[in-house]
Amino acid sequence: MRKQALATALVAAILGPGLAACGGDDDDDGGSGGGKQIALLLPETKTTRYEAHDRPAFEAEVQRLCPDCEVIYANASQDATKQQTQAEAAITKGADVLVLDAVDAKSATATVDRAKQSNIPVLAYDRLISGTDIDFYVSFENVRQGRLQGQSLLDGLGSDPSGQSIVMINGSPTDPAAGEYKKGAHEVLDKSGVDIAKEYDTPDWSPDKAQREMEQAITALGKGKVAGVYSANDGMAGGAIAALKGAGVDPSSVPITGGDAEVAALQRILIGEQYATIYLTIRKEAEVAAQLAVPAARGEKPPADLLNAKVDNGAGEVPSALLTPVPVTKGNMADTVIKDGFYEPSEICTGKFAKACQEAGIG
């Protein structure tokens, strides 16, 4: 009993405050039926979606499908080594399936291999893990998202974008999704005639680093020479906007893209500081992941209608569920994120944004 208590304490210490268990409190250790343990390992907190949307939607759907199941949750705070430790702790605790949104897709192969040694299925969530045997992949059509972002920027530049100088702020080079967004954006921008004057791959998707990159671009090009900014997500768009403001440039004069439909970005769009974002139906993504994870934990096949594609990850064709991203501007905000209930008007239409909400038909 003393050894068991010490082992339990060790696992708790490894899990730390960032790894919490939610769900049933039964003593089932993984037999058939309920009582399964599902590990949800998310990558970071700088992007608000993970704690605000992915985690609660996933946990709620698991609870709906399997009231006796337990969700073992951890967020790695953008630390790949920490995520490996969290995964090992979840495996030690008895996880029946790993749902893994990798901080670093390359280093995550070791985590997948470790899970496979214990016959634990792995679902790659939001970010593809290449070169190893994963069971499922749930994400959005990332190349298409990049195309949509690129086209949104062109729309913001007007009828003749040819020759106008833009800055590209891409996502983290360790995130395969960032590379796919970048690929899609280039497919649209490269043939448009715009001048991609400066381009950056931003470690950790960091808004602070994006701000410094934008400051460097303004210094190199001149503050009057930046006609538009492609940003792969909303947090980095916020950093770019801060840099423009710091240089005395009105961001409403420079169309800026984003992604993730964060509240702050939607508010910026309403007042003209950001041109567009991408609405990812994150709630649906998390629910689909749960709908795959529960039967995987039980050793059952998933519902056939969930999987609509196969994605080659270099180790095989991975059964995948790919969702469609939706561009959002001031003109369609009411019919997208508000109509779907992703946000309530009261979350967006606060203080100085109330009037802009009324103008956009929100509230």
Side-chain angles (χ1 to χ4, degrees):
M1 291 298 291
R2 178 176 173 79
K3 289 182 178 180
Q4 182 178 358
L6 287 171
T8 301
L10 177 60
V11 170
I14 294 173
L15 301 185
L19 191 53
C22 305
D25 57 359
D26 55 35
D27 295 324
D28 193 308
D29 62 358
S32 61
K36 298 299 181 180
Q37 298 188 90
I38 299 171
L40 175 64
L41 307 176
L42 296 183
E44 46 108 343
T45 56
K46 287 185 177 180
T47 304
T48 60
R49 57 167 283 189
Y50 292 112
E51 296 295 331
H53 299 288
D54 296 80
R55 177 188 180 182
F58 182 88
E59 291 178 343
E61 185 67 2
V62 168
Q63 179 67 20
R64 184 185 74 83
L65 294 169
C66 181
D68 292 332
C69 285
E70 176 187 12
V71 175
I72 305 170
Y73 175 72
N75 191 301
S77 301
Q78 202 61 57
D79 184 332
T81 301
K82 181 178 180 179
Q83 188 169 65
Q84 289 179 326
T85 301
Q86 291 170 338
E88 182 63 41
I91 292 169
T92 300
K93 192 174 188 295
D96 297 289
V97 61
L98 297 187
V99 179
L100 176 60
D101 192 342
V103 171
D104 183 334
K106 289 183 179 179
S107 65
T109 58
T111 297
V112 176
D113 294 343
R114 170 66 183 89
K116 290 299 178 176
Q117 291 172 4
S118 299
N119 296 315
I120 299 171
V122 177
L123 187 157
Y125 181 71
D126 205 57
R127 301 173 180 179
L128 184 64
I129 303 170
S130 298
T132 189
D133 180 22
I134 57 176
D135 296 86
F136 302 105
Y137 173 49
V138 178
S139 189
F140 293 87
E141 297 180 70
N142 294 328
V143 175
R144 183 174 180 180
Q145 175 171 333
R147 293 192 198 107
L148 291 171
Q149 289 172 312
Q151 186 58 54
S152 294
L153 180 57
L154 294 180
D155 293 344
L157 290 171
S159 58
D160 185 15
S162 181
Q164 298 190 55
S165 295
I166 68 167
V167 176
M168 288 190 73
I169 300 177
N170 303 307
S172 173
T174 64
D175 181 352
E180 292 175 338
Y181 301 156
K182 178 179 175 179
K183 176 184 177 182
H186 271 288
E187 287 177 1
V188 172
L189 296 172
D190 289 353
K191 64 184 181 182
S192 70
V194 298
D195 173 27
I196 302 174
K198 290 290 182 181
E199 182 170 5
Y200 305 92
D201 295 330
T202 310
D204 303 334
W205 294 87
S206 169
D208 294 338
K209 293 173 183 175
Q211 181 173 346
R212 290 195 292 272
E213 290 164 351
M214 192 68 215
E215 289 168 350
Q216 293 168 10
I218 294 169
T219 299
L221 302 174
K223 66 180 184 180
K225 299 297 184 180
V226 179
V229 180
Y230 167 90
S231 172
N233 81 351
D234 290 332
M236 297 190 305
I241 289 167
L244 288 168
K245 288 180 175 180
V249 178
D250 181 358
S252 66
S253 68
V254 181
I256 301 170
T257 66
D260 294 334
E262 294 185 354
V263 167
L266 297 173
Q267 291 173 331
R268 291 194 297 263
I269 289 170
L270 286 169
I271 62 174
E273 290 188 348
Q274 183 172 323
Y275 182 74
T277 186
I278 295 292
Y279 168 39
L280 302 175
T281 50
I282 294 168
R283 181 181 300 164
K284 179 66 174 176
E285 181 187 24
E287 289 173 350
V288 168
Q291 290 160 15
L292 290 169
V294 169
R298 292 170 169 166
E300 302 169 354
K301 291 183 178 180
D305 60 348
L306 285 184
L307 301 169
N308 60 7
K310 289 189 176 181
V311 174
D312 186 353
N313 79 332
E317 296 287 324
V318 181
S320 303
L322 300 181
L323 288 73
T324 302
V326 179
V328 176
T329 63
K330 183 175 181 178
N332 72 345
M333 195 180 297
D335 294 327
T336 52
V337 293
I338 300 299
K339 184 177 180 180
D340 286 357
F342 191 65
Y343 293 117
E344 294 297 325
S346 59
E347 296 179 80
I348 300 170
C349 304
T350 58
K352 66 179 182 179
F353 305 105
K355 183 178 178 181
C357 277
Q358 291 177 349
E359 293 172 354
I362 299 171

